[in-house]
Amino acid sequence: MTAPAVSPVRGARRAMIVAVVASLLVASLCGIVALLGGGFGDLQARIVATTLVVAAFGTSALCHLAVVTRAVRALGFAGLAASVVAAASALWLVWADGELFEGAGDGSVLKTLLVATIVAISLAHANLLLLLAGRRATVVRVGLATTLGAIAVVATMLALPVLTDGAVGDSEWYWRWFGVAGIVDALGTIALPVLALVLRGRRRTGPTPSAVPPTGSAVPPTGSAVPPTGSASADQDPAGTAAPARAASPSEPAPAGATAPSGVPGEVPGAGAGAGTAAGGADAEATPVRIVLDLPADLVVHLDAAAGGEARDTTALRVLRNALTAR
């Protein structure tokens, strides 16, 4: 069996993750060498600052890469772009002539660094929470939308004073509302993952509906097959005309869960001496049964994909027969 082909987006994401981790390792080694290499001067300080910049960029980049293969990949690429701008601005300030983080100019590089950092951190925060976007629980969906809105408000209220040189944000109520948005942001960040995990665990461990047969029909033993679409179950065949079962030869082992006409489990019509005469010489008949399967959502998706337009129960019967035959 050949391995499934890796999509270009997934391959690019894997390459970027490897590159980010490699850059983190190299920067960390340079920082360790600078700290343990003897004297600590301006060069060593710049190397350590570069290590911190690369570490911050790598951490935010990994958060953005988590969603580049999902439907919200645009936010992931936007976050990567913001992280690159923030890292480039920080490295410029570290290695520019003059004091550390005091590059020449009118402060536009520092302003770019601050705004890009706010955007990169906010998008990294949002992208991690968007991993919960596939949850179906209403409370998780509403909480996710509320938290994402709070993240956007916090980022905007932080960026506006930087962009306007303090003209916006000089009032007390501005920062009070900023605090409210920050509290909602923090509450959603803490509560949403826990809530999604609890609801997911309850759905997995909760009681599942058992396959209860209709009144008057027998519960099929383990291993009995699901009848195809349109076949009648025991209570749906008032005339008693059930599909005849194939008679087993004396040398053939009895199938698991076979039911004789008398209703006694384990007695196979036609298997053993005198089995055919017990029914008056007629061909043995077995009453088909219907099994209700409670399939998880992911298996239902695979079953529909394998159906190819036919009914689900017909496809389930075919898959079951193929699996038992392969064994």
Side-chain angles (χ1 to χ4, degrees):
M1 181 180 296
T2 59
V6 180
S7 64
V9 176
R10 292 183 181 274
R13 185 184 74 160
R14 185 177 302 174
M16 286 188 288
I17 290 176
V18 172
V20 169
V21 173
S23 64
L24 288 175
L25 292 175
V26 173
S28 300
L29 290 176
C30 293
I32 292 174
V33 171
L35 289 173
L36 301 180
F40 191 84
D42 182 70
L43 178 61
Q44 287 77 13
R46 294 177 189 271
I47 293 175
V48 172
T50 301
T51 302
L52 296 177
V53 171
V54 173
F57 166 76
T59 303
S60 64
L62 291 177
C63 296
H64 302 313
L65 289 173
V67 297
V68 294
T69 58
R70 296 171 176 258
V72 291
R73 60 178 60 91
L75 291 179
F77 289 119
L80 285 173
S83 297
V84 169
V85 172
S89 302
L91 292 176
W92 173 268
L93 294 177
V94 168
W95 293 99
D97 294 336
E99 296 296 330
L100 191 64
F101 284 107
E102 292 184 4
D106 56 355
S108 58
V109 178
L110 180 60
K111 185 182 297 186
T112 302
L113 170 62
L114 293 176
V115 175
T117 301
I118 293 171
V119 175
I121 294 177
S122 300
L123 288 178
H125 186 186
N127 287 331
L128 289 180
L129 289 179
L130 283 172
L131 296 176
L132 302 175
R135 298 295 189 271
R136 296 183 179 181
T138 304
V139 63
V140 175
R141 290 179 174 273
V142 173
L144 179 61
T146 304
T147 306
L148 292 177
I151 293 174
V153 171
V154 168
T156 303
M157 296 186 75
L158 281 176
L160 284 178
V162 176
L163 293 174
T164 60
D165 295 325
V168 176
D170 58 349
S171 64
E172 179 183 355
W173 279 102
Y174 183 89
W175 296 108
R176 287 190 179 188
W177 284 110
F178 172 81
V180 172
I183 291 173
V184 175
D185 183 0
L187 176 62
T189 302
I190 297 173
L192 273 179
V194 177
L195 186 61
L197 184 62
V198 169
L199 293 179
R200 183 179 181 182
R202 179 178 300 178
R203 183 172 65 251
R204 284 186 174 181
T205 60
T208 57
S210 58
V212 180
T215 305
S217 61
V219 179
T222 305
S224 57
V226 181
T229 304
S231 62
S233 49
D235 64 325
Q236 295 173 342
D237 192 5
T241 57
R246 180 178 57 86
S249 62
S251 61
E252 181 180 358
T259 306
S262 59
V264 181
E267 297 180 5
V268 182
T277 59
D283 292 338
E285 294 183 352
T287 302
V289 293
R290 182 177 296 274
I291 299 177
V292 179
L293 298 178
D294 183 23
L295 298 177
D298 54 344
L299 291 184
V300 173
V301 172
H302 289 297
L303 185 62
D304 291 339
E310 62 182 357
R312 284 181 178 173
D313 47 0
T314 304
T315 306
L317 178 58
R318 173 167 50 82
V319 171
L320 183 59
R321 282 176 172 170
N322 293 338
L324 293 178
T325 305
R327 294 179 60 184

